[in-house]
Amino acid sequence: MSESVPSLVSGVQAGRLSAEALTEGALGVIERAGPLNAFLHVDGEGARAAARGLDERRVRGDELGPLAGIPIAVKDSLCTQGMPTTAASRSLTRDGSARSGWRPPYDATVVSRLRAAGAVIVAKTNQDELAMGSSSENSAFGAVKNPWDLARTPGGSSGGSAAAVACRATPLALGSDTGGSIRQPAALCGVVGIKPTYGRVSRYGLIAFGSSLDQVGPLATDVRSAARLLGVLSGHDPLDSTSATVPVDDYEAACERGARGLRIGVPSEYFASGLSPEVERAVRAGLDALRDAGATIVDVELPHTRYGVATYYVLATAEASSNLARLDGVRFGLRVEAERGNLDGLYGASRSAGFGREVQRRILLGTFVLSSGYYDAYYAKAQRVRALVARDFERAFARVDAIAAPTSPTVAFRLGERLTDPLAMYLADVYTLPASLAGLPALSVPAGLSTATDADPALPVGLQLIGPAFAEASLLALAACVEAACPPSTPEPWA
Ligand code: GLN
């Protein structure tokens, strides 16, 4: 097994490892991983300079920070000063190429926190355009491939970040999750992914999708590495008005707490039709591991689960249509002038050229549900159902400390398989959307592999843990127990 981040950091701090060597290692794997198409921009020069700086500071005896020398990949929808930031959309480029991507004049708060903690940003990762999708096929720069099987999707939208960690290019990556975009790719790639409580991690500098749902969070090789990164990312940010002032727990200490005394609810709604038997088998084995570790498993009900997909796709598209109005060709990114002096023509031509099919579909849907005459029937109603979904969880958490379920109903599906059927794609999120609607913390931890058959290789399964607001620590305690029974694994060519 590869070393976890806390132990790598101790190595760097003690001079046993150099930041420069770790960075070279990451850049080497990134180069070998070219066929995955997981990276949109690799900053070899900047990363090497940052790593050298860290090694020099260590020699001088400076304090290096909790991520000292750790190479990290950052989802392209997060602003990185001086590095292209496109969110895999042509609309944020000058000429349609990733290279001509918008260069933000500032860092997202999470990126500043990474730098301050001594992390080395080596690359920006590919994703679904503007984070809309579940397969990373909606990227304007080509689909990402799953390191476990290049014919399959790594999930999405943070597919490049999950693939980067799965192929061990970097032990850590940042993703964003609006309806499952950290957890689902983590599950499909066999890595740990955490969507924090809404408000736990700053959204400042994240290119907005659905602002009432968006959260930034860690992807990592293992639970303790994820805990270290979550600790760095969490905390109040005056630049995000929805950022919480709740104190940050000691997430790493939580990983050693064990499961004894914790009550876990298992919702029957998450084990219904559509769940693959192989996923169910692995998740149930994970539940057994939690029981063996001393947790009590009980049944709970989340009756509004079945409205999750419909509710989410009204609210998220409504918010997206409003957020994306700013990408009009006037101030940012791609501009296509249809005819000089015609402003509507400029908007239409720029947005048609800048946005891919799925993004256009979402803007149309979102504009429709917000339009006068339909607002009450769709948007207002969805807001009310959102409250009912949240109330289901509140009732369950009166009885249990956490909820355990599958992250995704299936293992990684084949590239192209759902591309022409948006509804089939949207159903990939059926188990991740409810926690997003309720603003609750949720993570995905590897629960082993499916059984290989003649047609299919063994593929990773993720177990999802959902908790009450700001209970990330209990989720990590439980995830560490699942991991003890089911240690991290890497696909063959990358091991
Ligand atoms: N797959 C979901 C969607 O397409 C969620 C995406 C996300 O979490 N960013 O909207």
Side-chain angles (χ1 to χ4, degrees), residues 181-256:
S181 277
I182 292 174
R183 290 162 283 160
Q184 185 254 17
L188 271 45
C189 287
V191 303
V192 177
I194 308 177
K195 182 201 89 78
T197 308
Y198 185 77
R200 178 69 302 173
V201 173
S202 169
R203 291 183 296 113
Y204 179 74
L206 168 68
I207 293 168
F209 169 6
S211 304
S212 76
L213 298 153
D214 296 341
Q215 271 295 284
V216 179
L219 291 121
T221 47
D222 60 272
V223 174
R224 286 163 182 82
S225 301
R228 172 69 60 99
L229 177 52
L230 182 62
V232 167
L233 301 177
S234 297
H236 181 247
D237 178 11
L239 298 174
D240 171 0
S241 64
T242 59
S243 165
T245 51
V246 178
V248 178
D249 289 327
D250 184 340
Y251 299 130
E252 285 178 78
C255 297
E256 314 308 328

Side-chain angles (χ1 to χ4, degrees), residues 70-369:
I70 300 299
I72 185 163
V74 172
K75 187 176 185 178
D76 205 35
S77 54
L78 286 159
C79 288
T80 42
Q81 184 166 21
M83 249 188 258
T85 298
T86 67
S89 181
R90 265 186 297 274
S91 66
L92 281 167
T93 69
R94 206 176 300 283
D95 64 14
S97 71
R99 205 168 306 116
S100 73
W102 176 56
R103 289 179 188 251
Y106 67 99
D107 276 332
T109 295
V110 286
V111 171
S112 319
R113 281 176 176 262
L114 288 183
R115 297 196 205 272
V120 175
I121 298 169
V122 292
K124 299 298 292 288
T125 60
N126 199 356
Q127 57 171 94
D128 284 300
E129 180 178 8
L130 295 160
M132 297 178 186
S134 312
S135 67
S136 300
E137 290 168 292
N138 292 334
S139 167
F141 310 116
V144 184
K145 299 182 174 121
N146 191 318
W148 290 83
D149 177 357
L150 268 56
R152 290 174 198 260
T153 170
S157 64
S158 311
S161 288
V165 174
C167 77
R168 302 299 189 249
T170 55
L172 298 177
L174 289 189
S176 69
D177 189 312
T178 305
S181 277
I182 292 174
R183 290 162 283 160
Q184 185 254 17
L188 271 45
C189 287
V191 303
V192 177
I194 308 177
K195 182 201 89 78
T197 308
Y198 185 77
R200 178 69 302 173
V201 173
S202 169
R203 291 183 296 113
Y204 179 74
L206 168 68
I207 293 168
F209 169 6
S211 304
S212 76
L213 298 153
D214 296 341
Q215 271 295 284
V216 179
L219 291 121
T221 47
D222 60 272
V223 174
R224 286 163 182 82
S225 301
R228 172 69 60 99
L229 177 52
L230 182 62
V232 167
L233 301 177
S234 297
H236 181 247
D237 178 11
L239 298 174
D240 171 0
S241 64
T242 59
S243 165
T245 51
V246 178
V248 178
D249 289 327
D250 184 340
Y251 299 130
E252 285 178 78
C255 297
E256 314 308 328
R257 253 176 10 207
R260 200 154 298 283
L262 291 177
R263 289 171 65 83
I264 300 175
V266 176
S268 54
E269 293 84 356
Y270 284 62
F271 291 83
S273 75
L275 176 61
S276 124
E278 277 298 299
V279 172
E280 173 159 12
R281 182 189 54 75
V283 169
R284 297 230 182 254
L287 292 175
D288 290 342
L290 288 167
R291 191 182 290 112
D292 293 344
T296 308
I297 314 274
V298 302
D299 291 334
V300 292
E301 272 164 35
L302 299 171
H304 294 90
T305 299
R306 64 190 154 124
Y307 303 114
V309 175
T311 306
Y312 170 85
Y313 278 94
V314 170
L315 297 177
T317 56
E319 294 184 24
S321 74
S322 153
N323 274 324
L324 297 181
R326 71 190 66 155
L327 296 178
D328 56 11
V330 174
R331 190 166 172 145
F332 301 104
L334 196 74
R335 172 185 301 200
V336 178
E337 215 119 16
E339 166 196 335
R340 267 206 101 63
N342 179 348
L343 188 60
D344 279 335
L346 170 82
Y347 291 159
S350 300
R351 287 164 72 81
S352 299
F355 296 135
R357 281 182 71 86
E358 180 62 23
V359 173
Q360 293 189 20
R361 176 167 26 238
R362 304 256 183 135
I363 292 173
L364 290 172
L365 243 165
T367 307
F368 175 73
V369 301

Side-chain angles (χ1 to χ4, degrees), residues 5-19 22 54-55 57-59 61-69 117-118 228:
V5 165
S7 122
L8 290 170
V9 170
S10 310
V12 171
Q13 282 166 342
R16 173 169 65 80
L17 292 167
S18 78
L22 290 175
L54 280 157
D55 289 331
R57 283 175 47 208
R58 188 198 63 83
V59 172
D62 291 358
E63 195 65 60
L64 294 187
L67 293 176
R228 172 69 60 99

Side-chain angles (χ1 to χ4, degrees), residues 442-455:
L443 61 75
S444 182
V445 59
L449 303 177
S450 63
T451 317
T453 65
D454 289 344

